[in-house]
Amino acid sequence: MSTARTVRLLVPSAAVLWTSALGLWGLSRQNSVWRDEAATWQVARRSTAEIVQLLGNVDVVHGLYYLLMHGLFELFGPGTTVLRLPSVAATAVAAACVAALGHRLAGPWAGLGGGVALGLLPAVQFYLQEGRPYALVAAGAGVSTLLLVTLLEGRGRTVHWIAYSGTVALCGLLNWLSLMILPAHLLTLLLSGRNGRGGRSGHDLGGPGESGEPGGRGGSGWSGGSAGLGKRWAAAAGAAVACVLPLVLFSRSQSAQVSWIPPLTWHMLIGPAVLLAVGGAGALLDRRSPYRPGGPSAAAVGLPLLVVPHLGLVGLSLIQPLFLDRYVLFSLLGLALLIGAAIGVAVRTVSRRLPRAGWWLLPAIVAVAAVALLPQALAKRSPGSRVDDVLAAADDVRRLKRPGDAVLFFPSARRDTRLVSPDAFSGLEDIALARTPERSGTLKGVEAEPARIRAAMLTHRRILLVTDTPAVSRPPATERDRMKRSVLRNHFRIVTDTQTRGRRVTLYERRV
């Protein structure tokens, strides 16, 4: 095996190992599961028919992910490892794609730097261990971008176009906002066409100070047939959009699910602005890089991937509030690629004067970054990094309950505690519930009318209330919840009140 081929394998492999190690570190998060992951957990435990029924009412945007997790839970059983391991694996794939892109477009040090940088980004570390679909979307974005670059370099065939379209469609089915990657890719096509860069040229990479890669296929890239390539891209993109469009249209009927997202404000743009500034600096450094293979530059790929989804989400949020960083998590692949390109320039610059020092520059940068970000990394692996913990609340219920006790949930969405840990609630009567979540095709079930809830409460001597801690709770929004609070206040007294990780379990006893 040639040295160049060995390097091409080692660069993404190192990124995979690094990201996997970060993902497996503290994966259980001290055996905690928060409310968003609880939704995944409880839906994945249902039958396929029950999941399909649910998607007709809520969460259709996550339908494909729920079905995937259902299959994994069926095979391996529910648990925090099974819940989060797909995100770890997906982020490792995304890191490998960044590494491969950086290697192709800016040299092996840029690839290795970008692949390692992705796993260190704070937002990526948060969703690296999250039982939700956002890391899977990032992996798909990485694969589709890698396929696009292959096509721009003139090395693609029909199967690559099919794979590109299918990957974009799959990402769209996991989260249709990921379709914003298409205008980013279109901008990459336009930038590559303007630059008129053809096939590869360069030299073998023997060390950090050398630029280039083995001479490859030349003259058959974007500059050789821009019109035809543009048409094929439009056809592939159109096919992907057509696959996702029914989901987009149907999900509009469930838009009330995101009504809690606050309107866009200027202070919400500070974080993205910092990311864009860092990415812009990396793009400027890449323009000064002597490494120029065929196809697009790292800046032409990374900067649109970083900027366009953020701008698109800002635009959509002006129409309907949707500004959450997780919806454009995949854009951070562009930031990591640009950081890698900057590292590649730094390694080459240092190596010209101090050849031996060039080999140690990337390890030094990674060490400094890892130490600087260690407090954030530790915080994101603690239960306190999330709003609440349903498993902690279930443990409190298990400790406080007695046979014949009743249980109430305020609001009804806190019933996720029981759905994730049904054994903790065995022997308890859910006195407000009229139809279970499984039968009603909902996430929280259908509760009885306020009068029936009141009558049921007054027939019990002890009631356990599962709710939010005051720091995260909201005023009662329904007549049912107002009735629960009124009856408890007027007819019961507090015996025990425990508050753990955002959840509150209170034991009430009937007044004499």
Side-chain angles (χ1 to χ4, degrees), residues 427-473:
L428 297 178
E429 182 183 354
D430 190 345
I431 53 177
L433 189 64
R435 295 178 64 200
T436 65
E438 295 83 0
R439 289 183 57 195
S440 62
T442 62
L443 289 172
K444 54 190 178 183
V446 176
E447 296 194 335
E449 295 302 315
R452 293 188 60 185
I453 295 175
R454 181 181 188 277
M457 292 175 66
L458 294 176
T459 63
H460 286 79
R461 190 175 70 87
R462 288 167 38 109
I463 294 177
L464 282 164
L465 175 68
V466 180
T467 185
D468 296 316
T469 58
V472 298
S473 64

Side-chain angles (χ1 to χ4, degrees), residues 15-16 18-20 22-23 84-98 115 118-121 123-130 132 134-140 329 333:
V16 167
W18 169 262
T19 308
S20 298
L22 289 174
R84 296 175 184 142
L85 204 55
S87 291
V88 175
T91 309
V93 170
C97 291
V98 171
L118 181 68
L120 287 174
L121 296 175
V124 173
Q125 290 211 44
F126 188 96
Y127 294 104
L128 170 64
Q129 298 180 329
E130 185 83 346
R132 300 298 279 173
Y134 309 109
L136 277 68
V137 173
L329 180 71
L333 274 67

Side-chain angles (χ1 to χ4, degrees), residues 29 67 254 288 321 466 512:
R29 213 159 52 236
L67 291 170
Q254 300 178 2
R288 297 171 55 189
V466 180
V512 178

Side-chain angles (χ1 to χ4, degrees), residues 325-349:
D325 61 350
R326 61 196 185 202
Y327 292 155
V328 290
L329 180 71
F330 65 90
S331 69
L332 296 185
L333 274 67
L335 177 61
L337 178 60
L338 294 168
I339 291 173
I343 290 174
V345 171
V347 170
R348 284 189 292 271
T349 302

Side-chain angles (χ1 to χ4, degrees), residues 41-349:
W41 188 307
Q42 59 135 316
V43 174
R45 294 185 66 170
R46 302 186 189 188
S47 68
T48 303
E50 289 170 340
I51 294 175
V52 172
Q53 181 190 7
L54 170 79
L55 300 180
N57 299 317
V58 293
D59 266 3
V60 68
V61 292
H62 299 311
L64 181 60
Y65 177 70
Y66 286 155
L67 291 170
L68 168 65
M69 294 307 299
H70 167 73
L72 293 177
F73 273 29
E74 285 288 305
L75 286 173
F76 304 107
T80 55
T81 300
V82 179
L83 179 69
R84 296 175 184 142
L85 204 55
S87 291
V88 175
T91 309
V93 170
C97 291
V98 171
L101 285 166
H103 187 190
R104 283 194 193 183
L105 304 178
W109 289 103
L112 189 57
V116 169
L118 181 68
L120 287 174
L121 296 175
V124 173
Q125 290 211 44
F126 188 96
Y127 294 104
L128 170 64
Q129 298 180 329
E130 185 83 346
R132 300 298 279 173
Y134 309 109
L136 277 68
V137 173
V143 172
S144 64
T145 304
L146 189 58
L147 287 167
L148 178 71
V149 169
T150 299
L151 293 161
L152 286 174
E153 291 172 342
R155 301 193 299 176
R157 300 179 180 179
T158 301
V159 65
H160 291 88
W161 285 112
I162 295 173
Y164 174 79
S165 182
T167 304
V168 172
L170 186 62
C171 288
L173 294 174
L174 287 168
N175 178 6
W176 61 259
L177 287 173
S178 69
L179 291 178
M180 288 189 290
I181 200 173
L182 289 175
H185 284 173
L186 175 60
L187 183 55
T188 294
L189 260 72
L190 296 175
L191 292 173
S192 302
R194 185 189 66 181
N195 292 339
R197 304 229 315 257
R200 294 180 174 272
S201 61
H203 307 283
D204 200 15
L205 282 168
E210 300 177 11
S211 61
E213 195 179 359
R217 311 172 193 219
S220 59
W222 164 259
S223 59
S226 59
L229 187 62
K231 290 179 181 179
R232 289 191 289 273
W233 178 85
V241 172
C243 291
V244 182
L245 188 59
L247 174 64
V248 176
L249 297 176
F250 187 80
S251 67
R252 297 301 300 156
S253 65
Q254 300 178 2
S255 60
Q257 282 190 272
V258 293
S259 60
W260 62 271
I261 300 176
L264 184 66
T265 58
W266 287 110
H267 78 274
M268 297 167 66
L269 300 177
I270 295 175
V274 172
L275 298 180
L276 298 186
V278 174
L284 289 175
L285 288 172
D286 178 66
R287 290 177 62 85
R288 297 171 55 189
S289 169
Y291 189 92
R292 284 292 179 259
S297 66
V301 174
L303 197 60
L305 183 56
L306 173 63
V307 174
V308 172
H310 277 97
L311 293 181
L313 189 60
V314 168
L316 288 175
S317 297
L318 296 176
I319 302 171
Q320 177 181 345
L322 287 172
F323 198 82
L324 295 175
D325 61 350
R326 61 196 185 202
Y327 292 155
V328 290
L329 180 71
F330 65 90
S331 69
L332 296 185
L333 274 67
L335 177 61
L337 178 60
L338 294 168
I339 291 173
I343 290 174
V345 171
V347 170
R348 284 189 292 271
T349 302

